[in-house]
């Protein structure tokens, strides 16, 4: 009997916590929601032009292998 009471209490607490999260109200279809920021194309292109060109090519594996291949002695 005691086990049934404990199981019922655990089940009730689980259901209560899931129900406490609730449901979100449905979005009103009459209102268009446009939360995206406006992008200024001219400012974007100007920012891309301000990025300097790298002097050396980036090698992500440079630390894992030597940059120059080992030369074989004759």
């Amino acid at each position: 009997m005691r086990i049934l009471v404990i199981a019922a209490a655990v089940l009730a607490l689980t259901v209560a916590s899931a129900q406490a999260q609730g449901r979100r109200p449905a979005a009103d279809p009459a209102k268009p929601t446009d939360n995206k920021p406006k992008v200024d194309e001219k400012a974007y292109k100007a920012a891309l032009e301000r990025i300097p060109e790298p002097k050396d090519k980036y090698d992500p594996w440079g630390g894992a292998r030597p940059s120059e291949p080992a030369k074989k002695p004759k």
Side-chain angles (χ1 to χ4, degrees):
M1 183 71 175
R2 187 182 294 176
I3 295 175
L4 290 176
V5 172
I6 293 172
V10 168
L11 183 63
L13 288 173
T14 304
V15 170
S17 65
Q19 196 173 29
Q21 293 176 2
R23 296 184 182 186
R24 291 184 222 156
D28 188 13
K31 286 185 186 177
T33 55
D34 187 20
N35 295 337
K36 295 180 181 177
K38 302 291 183 191
V39 177
D40 186 13
E41 292 293 325
K42 288 182 182 178
Y44 174 73
K45 289 182 180 181
L48 287 179
E49 290 173 1
R50 285 186 296 216
I51 297 174
E53 291 293 325
K55 295 177 183 175
D56 297 330
K57 186 176 178 183
Y58 178 69
D59 185 14
W61 289 94
R65 57 176 161 71
S67 59
E68 294 292 324
K71 296 182 179 181
K72 296 179 183 177
K74 293 185 177 179

